[in-house]
Amino acid sequence: GIQVEQSPPDLILQEGANSTLRCNFSDSVNNLQWFHQNPWGQLINLFYIPSGTKQNGRLSATTVATERYSLLYISSSQTTDSGVYFCAVERDYGQNFVFGPGTRLSVLP
Amino acid sequence: DAGVIQSPRHEVTEMGQEVTLRCKPISGHDYLFWYRQTMMRGLELLIYFNNNVPIDDSGMPEDRFSAKMPNASFSTLKIQPSEPRDSAVYFCASMHSTSSYEQYFGPGTRLTVT
């Protein structure tokens, strides 16, 4: 099956810093999503982005499907950005998403 | 809307017992997903439904697991018999098919099998 890798596995930032999280996948995909899991376990969908670039406030994401990677940018990080960020991909125009292992982000005040 | 509702929030049971997890999706959503999260395996999709019909159950680990969606507002995930390796957080999520694939997750059920 398709393999999903995320880097870095862990990231520690000072509040106000910018960061880039990366998701690599082993095969062509039709769907790609980014999720955030906060320290209390709640999962939130951030972006549906099979290709191109999207922005939502301080967060933006870019997927280059032909090169099999996606990037999540966090600007002016806040302590509330802490948690784990997951990339999930799907190959067959369905909803059977495969999740990466996540990047654990800690933003220090 | 109250969001996706899951019950119970925590469940502790003994090996061999039957466990039933419950989910109420957001009203009007036509997709429902069951996920499992463990330290070893991360987040895994177990099964998903569209309009109450199971579409893909390839993630269901074995015959001890079963899921049903008798109507648009209720789904269950049952484990019988339970085993210690089933200990995990089980998430339910729902989505509307015209919502740009945005899934809304419930708070999860933390299952511990001793």
Side-chain angles (χ1 to χ4, degrees):
Chain A
I2 192 167
Q3 304 297 312
V4 183
E5 298 177 347
Q6 292 187 243
S7 60
D10 294 280
L11 184 60
I12 300 175
L13 299 174
Q14 286 295 136
E15 201 167 24
N18 303 328
S19 62
T20 300
L21 282 57
R22 187 177 180 101
C23 171
N24 291 331
F25 38 96
S26 61
D27 206 342
S28 58
V29 299
N30 293 306
N31 294 317
L32 186 145
Q33 301 195 54
W34 284 96
F35 297 86
H36 175 226
Q37 186 170 35
N38 70 20
W40 297 270
Q42 180 66 42
L43 278 155
I44 296 172
N45 183 291
L46 296 176
F47 292 104
Y48 165 71
I49 185 165
S51 63
T53 297
K54 289 187 178 179
Q55 181 158 5
N56 184 0
R58 296 180 297 102
L59 273 60
S60 64
T62 295
T63 297
V64 184
T66 53
E67 297 187 21
R68 301 180 185 171
Y69 73 89
S70 183
L71 303 174
L72 178 69
Y73 305 96
I74 304 174
S75 64
S76 303
S77 58
Q78 301 176 358
T79 55
T80 52
D81 296 330
S82 296
V84 183
Y85 289 81
F86 293 101
C87 164
V89 303
E90 200 283 331
R91 292 189 57 190
D92 299 317
Y93 292 107
Q95 298 295 325
N96 193 344
F97 282 87
V98 175
F99 283 74
T103 291
R104 183 174 297 277
L105 174 65
S106 299
V107 181
L108 306 178
Chain B
D1 201 312
V4 176
I5 299 172
Q6 291 187 246
S7 64
R9 295 292 309 276
H10 302 272
E11 177 81 27
V12 180
T13 191
E14 292 184 347
M15 182 175 62
Q17 297 298 306
E18 176 179 297
V19 175
T20 299
L21 311 182
R22 297 172 175 81
C23 176
K24 177 179 170 55
I26 293 173
S27 177
H29 283 191
D30 53 348
Y31 280 86
L32 184 138
F33 306 81
W34 282 101
Y35 293 91
R36 178 173 69 176
Q37 186 175 30
T38 62
M39 290 294 292
M40 290 297 295
R41 299 176 65 88
L43 267 165
E44 304 172 279
L45 176 68
L46 300 178
I47 185 171
Y48 76 92
F49 296 83
N50 180 219
N51 292 322
N52 313 337
V53 176
I55 302 300
D56 190 331
D57 65 355
S58 59
M60 296 285 265
E62 49 197 273
D63 291 346
R64 297 184 298 105
F65 285 68
S66 62
K68 295 182 179 180
M69 192 164 187
N71 57 62
S73 59
F74 184 66
S75 177
T76 60
L77 178 68
K78 185 176 294 186
I79 309 172
Q80 166 65 16
S82 58
E83 297 182 2
R85 60 191 167 124
D86 302 331
S87 297
V89 180
Y90 291 81
F91 289 99
C92 175
S94 70
M95 179 184 82
H96 193 286
S97 54
T98 61
S99 69
S100 299
Y101 298 99
E102 183 171 1
Q103 296 184 31
Y104 292 82
F105 284 79
T109 294
R110 181 173 296 277
L111 173 65
T112 303
V113 183
T114 60

